[in-house]
Amino acid sequence: MNYNVNEKGYYGEFGGAFIPEMLYPNVEELRQNYLKVMAEPEFQKEFNQLLKDYVGRPSPLYLAKRLSEKYNTKIYLKREDLNHTGAHKINNTVGQILMAKRLGKTRIIAETGAGQHGVATATVCALMGLECIVYMGEIDIARQAPNVARMKMLGATVVPALSGSRTLKDATNEAIRDWINNPVNTHYIIGSAIGPHPYPDMVTRFQAIISEEIKWQLKEHEGRENPDYVVACIGGGSNAAGTYYHYLHEPDVNIIAVEAAGLGVDSGESAATSVLGKEGVIHGCKTLLMQTPDGQITEPYSISAGLDYPGVGPMHAHLAKTGRAEFMSITDDQAMKAGLELCKLEGIIPAIESSHALAIFEQKTFKPNDVVVVSLSGRGDKDLQNYIEYFKI
Ligand SMILES: *Cc1c(COP(=O)(O)O)cnc(C)c1O
């Protein structure tokens, strides 16, 4: 079984590029060039240098002793929370801004929901001195004031999307409209392992630095490159894709994907796409997504803004369908409890997204000798208000 993308842009039956005719030249330019550009030694050198000096990589692989003791298994945390800007998203935006420069683009657009990807994009635009326009739903702008302020400080223009529900999907529509109107000088930075081919594969390759590092770091710690399990939370699926990438075809490594169940998988307030989703097209690719019987995308819900997405990247749809990955659903309550537990046991305040991945240890028993690597995708600073309100701190 092949779990990578094929030359047509598919993971099994999922993926492809379902885009308006007018967008075809933009996506085709990227498709024809992305692998060639990424293979250039000069590109590799600049990417790796920035990951080291600007992002702060390699991120540590940390043996969480007290957490391991509590669950009687060996738990390692891959510390993406220690990256510049506080999460894994910067790995992808650094890669894509270098790609944009190689393709001669001078203007960057992006869409953002909670604002995390908008901040990561505005950051690299400032770094490279490129114009940055971030589309964001009017409702989200009101809800996410600190991230809007960050983007503005970094020099980005934040444009409100005023149509529809005035949230993420409307911002995406605006970004696509912009790209159609500016095909020559503009690159569209997509923030997760989603979108039309080649985006899911390109984003996965930029995030694959995560599992590349885990391999040599685990060898140092344990004398072997392969853990028994790799675990990551899934919104669109970019931190997960990077954490799994170099293990996809290693049958001794079990893959666990953690989705947000919100108030409960059957509550109607959930984002557990692998359970509730049906095949459909979203953001230009065929994948699993939550929809009504007549094909309208349903509003997802999760306490964590980063997992609040109605679909899942096509690679993960394929991993779910083939059974290569075990999918688990974690509720808001389970995640919040696991997040607070990490604070008390290890002195690390995790992003609520990452807390979902940590919550599996209450649901599933591992063997004492199992080595379990969990992607700690981000830090909890941005979620402080949520934690305060939830625990009445
Ligand atoms: C955005 C985000 C996620 C979800 O995005 P993926 O593309 O699924 O990785 C997870 N964790 C954090 C900290 C995030 O900011």
Side-chain angles (χ1 to χ4, degrees):
M1 184 70 78
N2 175 28
Y3 300 104
N4 289 326
V5 79
N6 67 21
E7 59 291 345
K8 297 213 167 89
Y10 279 84
Y11 301 83
E13 63 197 271
F14 302 106
F18 297 80
I19 49 172
E21 190 72 34
M22 309 265 285
L23 209 55
Y24 182 79
N26 312 34
V27 175
E28 183 58 14
E29 181 188 24
L30 195 60
R31 190 188 68 78
Q32 285 184 5
N33 288 291
Y34 82 109
L35 289 175
K36 204 164 45 189
V37 170
M38 284 178 76
E40 286 168 10
E42 272 307 305
F43 181 93
Q44 285 288 324
K45 193 174 156 211
E46 198 176 354
F47 182 51
N48 288 325
Q49 195 77 44
L50 283 173
L51 289 183
K52 178 166 178 275
D53 298 336
Y54 188 71
V55 176
R57 303 201 72 91
S59 68
L61 183 69
Y62 165 68
L63 173 60
K65 277 227 182 65
R66 289 188 359 108
L67 192 68
S68 298
E69 256 162 45
K70 160 132 201 217
Y71 291 105
N72 196 26
T73 191
K74 227 168 186 181
I75 303 171
Y76 284 90
L77 304 178
K78 182 57 174 161
R79 299 290 308 275
E80 295 300 300
D81 60 315
L82 295 177
N83 292 342
H84 177 47
T85 69
H88 66 289
K89 285 192 173 73
I90 191 87
N91 303 325
N92 169 48
T93 56
V94 166
Q96 284 202 47
I97 199 107
L98 294 179
M99 180 66 61
K101 281 202 346 177
R102 291 299 189 288
L103 297 177
K105 311 294 177 184
T106 55
R107 183 173 174 273
I108 298 296
I109 58 171
E111 93 284 329
T112 195
Q116 295 301 113
H117 173 58
V119 170
T121 302
T123 300
V124 295
C125 287
L127 175 71
M128 293 295 166
L130 295 192
E131 185 186 358
C132 181
I133 292 110
V134 179
Y135 291 95
M136 190 170 185
E138 194 181 31
I139 300 274
D140 289 333
I141 289 180
R143 285 194 291 213
Q144 309 288 346
N147 276 340
V148 175
R150 284 186 186 103
M151 286 183 264
K152 287 183 176 167
M153 287 184 72
L154 292 161
T157 306
V158 181
V159 179
L162 304 171
S163 63
S165 57
R166 292 173 289 153
T167 57
L168 180 62
K169 79 174 157 37
D170 313 291
T172 304
N173 290 339
E174 294 293 332
I176 289 172
R177 197 165 306 149
D178 180 313
W179 208 20
I180 288 172
N181 290 328
N182 298 282
V184 177
N185 67 346
T186 298
H187 175 71
Y188 179 14
I189 299 191
I190 292 183
S192 189
I194 54 172
H197 178 66
Y199 277 100
D201 186 48
M202 181 171 66
V203 174
T204 296
R205 285 167 184 267
F206 288 139
Q207 293 291 0
I209 185 68
I210 299 173
S211 48
E212 193 183 313
E213 288 173 4
I214 294 172
K215 283 202 141 182
W216 63 259
Q217 290 173 319
L218 202 61
K219 178 100 181 162
E220 280 183 10
H221 280 282
E222 293 285 331
R224 56 169 160 131
E225 290 187 340
N226 289 6
D228 298 292
Y229 293 86
V230 281
V231 183
C233 66
I234 298 210
S238 69
N239 90 90
T243 303
Y244 306 159
Y245 187 76
H246 290 286
Y247 294 119
L248 287 170
H249 300 97
E250 302 284 323
D252 58 325
V253 181
N254 298 287
I255 295 175
I256 297 181
V258 186
E259 292 184 314
L263 302 183
V265 170
D266 299 318
S267 67
E269 298 290 333
S270 172
T273 309
S274 74
V275 187
L276 301 170
K278 298 263 176 309
E279 197 172 287
V281 171
I282 183 172
H283 297 169
C285 76
K286 193 199 282 182
T287 189
L288 293 174
L289 75 137
M290 295 174 14
Q291 51 192 312
T292 59
D294 53 350
Q296 293 281 43
I297 294 169
T298 29
E299 252 338 282
Y301 165 78
S302 164
I303 193 169
S304 77
L307 303 185
D308 192 353
Y309 183 70
V312 63
M315 174 203 265
H316 301 296
H318 184 51
L319 293 177
K321 184 99 181 196
T322 56
R324 174 66 182 96
E326 175 185 355
F327 278 69
M328 296 179 69
S329 311
I330 293 297
T331 64
D332 288 359
D333 290 340
Q334 292 164 342
M336 295 304 271
K337 189 161 165 276
L340 190 61
E341 181 176 79
L342 191 74
C343 302
K344 308 279 190 209
L345 286 181
E346 299 288 346
I348 298 170
I349 302 177
I352 299 177
E353 290 86 356
S354 318
S355 298
H356 283 73
L358 296 163
I360 66 160
F361 295 104
E362 282 289 338
Q363 309 302 315
K364 182 181 172 79
T365 308
F366 295 88
K367 296 204 241 13
N369 287 331
D370 280 343
V371 169
V372 185
V373 175
V374 181
S375 167
L376 198 71
S377 55
R379 67 175 87 122
D381 305 34
K382 70 183 176 65
D383 296 320
L384 215 54
Q385 198 54 40
N386 253 339
Y387 280 122
I388 289 168
E389 281 164 22
Y390 185 88
F391 290 110
K392 308 200 166 44
I393 297 165

